[in-house]
Amino acid sequence: MKKTLLLAGAFVAALAMPSGAAHAAGEYLKPPLQDWSFSGPFGTFDREQLQRGFLVFRQACSSCHGLEYVSFRNLAEAGGPEFSTGQVEAFAAEFRIPDGPDASGEMFERPGELSDRWISPFRNEREAAAANGGKAPPDLSVMAKARTFERGFPWFITDMFTQYNENGVDYIAAFLKGFEEPPADMEIAAGNYYNPYYPGQIVAMPNVLFDGAISYTPEGANRPVAPETVEQYAKDVTAFLMWTAEPHLEQRKRIGFQVMLFLIVFAGLLYFTKKKIWGRLGEDGAPEFRA
Ligand code: HEC
């Protein structure tokens, strides 16, 4: 009884703990949890959100960040944004892909094709760092899986049951919306910016999202398909980054469910088989095992 009380006390204490002031050194704000179409065991991507996210990435991020694990053809494949092959070919052709050597031994550049990868806008990491105040913008292909934050007790226990797996995307969405003026007592060197969600709080990436900066109005239409706000841009581009990090997420969840169904049916069959085989033991006239 005493133990249970103690445990319950610890639980309540952990819940009541403040989520942390952002300003102390080494601390950062915990990202708020968001609703994602792809969370939970039956989650799927919202195709239109992925297409909008692609648009945001292309206009607001691709001048600094690459997606080197994404080939252009992936953008037309099932389970992703599912653009048409024609659309993707036209997009790929905007890239200058280094290739060669040609017959005379020269390296050359050619327009991108479906089989090429979405390369970094910089030739190499040094150039990327030099253009960004000494910090190279990281490749974002798998960033949604690479970043996480500590959920702490008791959430890491409840997360096992709720299958919470969206730390990475909750962090990226909060990070993209989180740029603000630094506190008065904080010194920030040129080329650095304040973001309380970033571990360390001072980051070499500037704020890139502004309300209305990216048009969500399709050609010929007179209304945007989604709100043109920082909130929406951040969410859409983050969903897109979840897809680049796990392009087979939908397939994985579908197969997982089918396997669970199969195991349940199979367990039932095994149960009845066992009953049938062992049921005769001990009945009159039934064979008995002898030592
Ligand atoms: C002007 C160049 C520039 C643009 C544009 C830009 N970034 Fe960045 N980004 C950077 C740099 C530089 C860093 C590395 C920051 C550091 O290490 O301090 C970074 C880091 C990041 C990180 C990693 C943060 C972490 O926890 O390490 C994410 C995620 C990110 N950017 C997402 C985006 C997204 C999404 C967009 C588009 C909406 C974008 N960035 C646009 C320059 C840029």
Side-chain angles (χ1 to χ4, degrees):
M1 187 62 197
K2 239 188 180 164
K3 255 193 191 156
T4 334
L5 271 179
L6 263 178
L7 266 180
F11 189 83
V12 171
L15 280 182
M17 228 143 36
S19 55
H23 306 328
E27 279 187 21
Y28 56 94
L29 278 186
K30 289 224 163 130
L33 303 200
Q34 310 238 357
D35 269 339
W36 298 102
S37 66
F38 46 80
S39 61
F42 304 110
T44 55
F45 287 117
D46 172 349
R47 220 59 61 203
E48 302 196 335
Q49 179 169 55
L50 293 189
Q51 298 202 357
R52 292 195 305 271
F54 163 84
L55 200 70
V56 176
F57 189 87
R58 181 182 176 180
Q59 292 189 22
C61 320
S62 66
S63 57
C64 291
H65 293 281
L67 288 174
E68 67 163 325
Y69 296 116
V70 177
S71 297
F72 295 121
R73 64 183 163 77
N74 298 141
L75 293 164
E77 282 169 358
E82 298 184 4
F83 287 109
S84 71
T85 312
Q87 282 173 316
V88 179
E89 272 171 347
F91 172 64
E94 291 174 11
F95 281 72
R96 308 296 304 163
I97 306 286
D99 203 349
D102 63 10
S104 56
E106 297 294 331
M107 301 304 281
F108 60 94
E109 284 189 348
R110 57 167 176 80
E113 295 166 6
L114 285 183
S115 54
D116 287 317
R117 293 187 173 204
W118 188 323
I119 51 168
S120 160
F122 301 102
R123 277 173 303 169
N124 50 55
E125 201 161 323
R126 295 229 176 126
E127 188 188 37
N132 285 282
K135 295 254 181 69
D139 186 88
L140 294 184
S141 319
V142 293
M143 191 57 82
K145 291 261 159 181
R147 285 291 177 271
T148 186
F149 61 94
E150 295 261 332
R151 291 260 287 148
F153 182 81
W155 305 117
F156 72 87
I157 298 177
T158 56
D159 287 350
M160 279 194 274
F161 299 100
T162 57
Q163 299 196 5
Y164 174 73
N165 206 6
E166 281 74 43
N167 313 53
V169 279
D170 283 335
Y171 165 70
I172 295 180
F175 169 72
L176 292 176
K177 291 183 288 186
F179 290 88
E180 52 180 75
E181 286 300 313
D185 57 341
M186 190 182 264
E187 293 233 351
I188 296 198
N192 285 290
Y193 307 88
Y194 176 69
N195 188 323
Y197 292 99
Y198 183 74
Q201 299 174 47
I202 296 174
V203 64
M205 173 175 146
N207 183 16
V208 294
L209 297 178
F210 302 93
D211 283 343
I214 298 155
S215 169
Y216 275 169
T217 313
E219 245 175 84
N222 51 10
R223 268 196 300 139
V225 288
E228 292 166 337
T229 58
V230 169
E231 175 84 27
Q232 190 68 35
Y233 297 148
K235 201 156 186 206
D236 293 347
V237 76
T238 306
F240 175 71
L241 291 177
M242 184 67 188
W243 168 72
T244 64
E246 205 188 340
H248 299 297
L249 175 143
E250 292 187 359
Q251 192 186 20
R252 169 172 71 80
K253 295 200 171 180
R254 195 167 53 238
I255 292 178
F257 177 64
Q258 288 164 350
V259 168
M260 292 311 287
L261 265 187
F262 168 78
L263 286 177
I264 290 169
V265 171
F266 192 60
L269 285 177
L270 277 183
Y271 172 74
F272 289 113
T273 311
K274 179 251 166 206
K275 256 183 107 156
K276 175 134 178 105
I277 292 175
W278 292 83
R280 283 176 293 149
L281 266 192
E283 281 171 19
D284 276 351
E288 275 178 30
F289 287 116
R290 296 209 173 86

